[in-house]
Amino acid sequence: MSRVSAFIEGLCRAGAFLSAICMAAIVILIVVEIFLRMFFGFSTMVSSEFSGYLLVGLVAMSLGYTLQHEAHIRITLIWGVLPLKWKNRVDIAVAAVSAAVTGFALYHSVLLVQQTYSRGMTADSMSETPLWIPQTAIPVGLFLFLLQLVNFILRRVRQ
Amino acid sequence: MISSPLTLALVLLLVMFGFLLSSKWIGFSLISTGIIGLVLYDANLPPVLSIWDKAGTLLANSIWNSLNSWALSALPLFILMGEILYRTAISTKLLNGLVPWLTRVPGKLYHINILACSLFAAVSGSSAATTATVGNITLSELKERGYDKKLALGSLAGAGTMGFLIPPSLIMIIYGVLSDTSIGKLFIGGIIPGLMLAFFYSAYIALQCLLHPEYVPVKQDNYTWGQKLRALKEIVPVFALIFVVLGGIYLGMTTPTEAAAIGVVGSLVLAWGFRNLTLKNLMESFMAAVRTTAMICFIIAGAAFLSQMVGFVGIANALSRYIVSLELSPYVLILVVGFMYILLGMILDGISIVVMTLPIVLPIVVNAGFDPLWFGIYLVFMVELSQITPPVGFSLFVINHISRENMYTILKATFPFFLIMILMVVLITMFPEIVFFLTDRV
């Protein structure tokens, strides 16, 4: 069981690493754009468009990792005064419902990507980026999030 | 099933608070409420389309559309900038640079929190980051020099919240994206209210120290003008950073997102100059920024879906019409809205409050004749208040963590500063020119 946890946490860390790369890429993209505009009067034409895609990737890929670090906020006003046993029970219930919601979102985000792909939808811009490419980050990220929620439950069941 | 939007709104409000208080993550609470709203609603859908499919499509599209945003990409960059600066010696430099200038002012070093927070707020977009970065250094320094802890804690709580008011500001970015208001103008609109608030805080401190001379230790450090000017050298890098980040926006040369990218580079240069730029610090900054971004954006995506639902089932419309039918005067309306925000602020954090309420409150307020730009600044004040109202107030948690004082002491110390902030809200409501003075001139 703990090997499952370690595996899930490793996957989510890898996801977060990709997120950090997305973040760095946004900075570099914009700095290059400003540099080109200032000194050469030239624009890449894609910096604002790609920043949006990179933000989607950044957020999606790190949802699970953020849960792993207990960094998604929740109101623990009532939870905080419960005895440990009940804290665990409430956590499991809450995470189970959240996992169901994530599964639902995951299923429909796969449909969204499929639809975008089969209709050949592209961005309304110079680059005409096929939109299914950046959209794919959403189901992948939600899958990691789902795994991490399962891990969250497993850890509490074992206690 | 429920067909009246107002009844549905009431039911959903209960459902949402049920989820929130159950300790379910805020983003999930919002999404679940959205799904339940759609399922409960008596929708006239063609029989081939189930309401679950409708909900799923709306959800997937909301996630994509709310995050695929150029303006919102300023958010992770300003967060990253704050994380990099947090790991530098910037707060020590601010302290060293400011202390020599304060020895002759009534209240002396108590003003350090106000000044350092104002300056740090001008390079940081978040109140928690401002409070933590400044408080980490100033609280122990003030204690060591024999200053009374009450004013020290209170002024830190009050001034720390200016992270959201003095640009750059994460709340303004989020509000600007959701309400389609110019983020650059919001940034500019926050300057005068921010400086006024800082001035009132300082005036209160000076007054308290004149009334209670025992608050200030007798020991007098004297600095010559040469020492004062040399000390100023310590804060020059901070001013330079403020200038490159905000200057471009004010001059209309850069968008807020571009300014944020410049700010990241600037903070890296500053960290390098202060000899704090290590690989470990850099990695930690990135990972912490990734977590905060994911946390905030998950709530934004959840709220985007919720607002789609609220529009689809007609709650936003019905509620707007209902409020209009009450024929409240604009001032009464804004007062009611203010009370609602203070109540919400007691249990929710600022960002959640903004994204959850905006789809319903903004149309109502704009309908009553308020400018969205002005309301943005008003909302920032509401968020600041939520940071220091118990039981859930992030600035209080931060101060509790760094000072190790008990919550009751912190709350008592913070209360006067809470009142000053309310006074500021009243002032900008009576005299909206405070907000528009600079924005009309750009």
Side-chain angles (χ1 to χ4, degrees), chain A residues 8 11-16 18-19 22 55-68 72 98-99 101-103 105-107 109-110 113 132-150, chain B residues 28 63 67 294 298:
Chain A
I8 291 174
L11 270 184
C12 286
R13 253 194 303 278
L18 284 178
S19 294
C22 286
L55 179 63
V56 175
L58 194 177
V59 175
M61 301 309 288
S62 56
L63 286 171
Y65 168 77
T66 304
L67 178 66
Q68 188 177 322
H72 283 301
S98 301
V101 171
T102 309
L106 172 59
Y107 171 69
S109 66
V110 171
V113 175
W132 66 269
I133 300 173
Q135 278 180 348
T136 304
I138 298 175
V140 176
L142 287 175
F143 181 65
L144 290 178
F145 202 8
L146 183 59
L147 286 181
Q148 192 61 247
L149 281 162
V150 172
Chain B
F28 279 124
I63 297 174
L67 299 181
F298 180 44

Side-chain angles (χ1 to χ4, degrees), chain B residues 252-319:
Chain B
M253 283 164 62
T254 53
T255 65
T257 311
E258 287 167 346
I262 297 172
V264 172
V265 176
S267 56
L268 286 172
V269 171
L270 200 135
W272 178 70
F274 290 168
R275 298 176 193 285
N276 298 116
L277 191 68
T278 60
L279 190 64
K280 181 170 162 283
N281 276 351
L282 199 60
M283 279 302 284
E284 277 176 7
S285 302
F286 264 93
M287 291 325 250
V290 160
R291 288 196 293 273
T292 308
T293 307
M295 181 273 277
I296 295 176
C297 287
F298 180 44
I299 297 172
I300 291 179
F305 170 63
L306 190 67
S307 92
Q308 288 283 315
M309 181 280 286
V310 163
F312 180 75
V313 305
I315 288 179
N317 242 322
L319 219 59

Side-chain angles (χ1 to χ4, degrees), chain B residues 94-106:
Chain B
L94 281 175
L95 188 86
N96 294 343
L98 293 172
V99 164
W101 294 85
L102 293 174
T103 49
R104 300 207 168 270
V105 194

Side-chain angles (χ1 to χ4, degrees), chain B residues 70-149:
Chain B
W70 158 242
L72 196 59
S73 40
L75 189 85
L77 304 189
F78 277 124
I79 294 172
L80 177 61
M81 180 180 164
E83 291 291 346
I84 295 170
L85 289 176
Y86 176 73
R87 289 169 179 78
T88 64
I90 187 169
S91 40
T92 318
K93 303 266 176 190
L94 281 175
L95 188 86
N96 294 343
L98 293 172
V99 164
W101 294 85
L102 293 174
T103 49
R104 300 207 168 270
V105 194
K108 292 185 192 164
L109 285 194
Y110 283 122
H111 298 283
I112 191 78
N113 278 335
I114 316 287
L115 281 177
C117 284
S118 307
L119 285 176
F120 192 73
V123 288
S124 152
S126 129
S127 290
T130 305
T131 310
T133 313
V134 172
N136 247 335
I137 302 290
T138 56
L139 281 186
S140 53
E141 188 73 24
L142 285 172
K143 201 172 173 184
E144 237 167 67
R145 296 182 190 218
Y147 283 81
D148 184 66
K149 71 182 172 195

Side-chain angles (χ1 to χ4, degrees), chain B residues 93 123 232-243 270 274:
Chain B
K93 303 266 176 190
V123 288
L232 216 51
K233 230 173 49 190
E234 298 266 296
I235 37 179
V236 166
V238 183
F239 276 109
L241 189 58
I242 294 175
F243 179 77
L270 200 135
F274 290 168

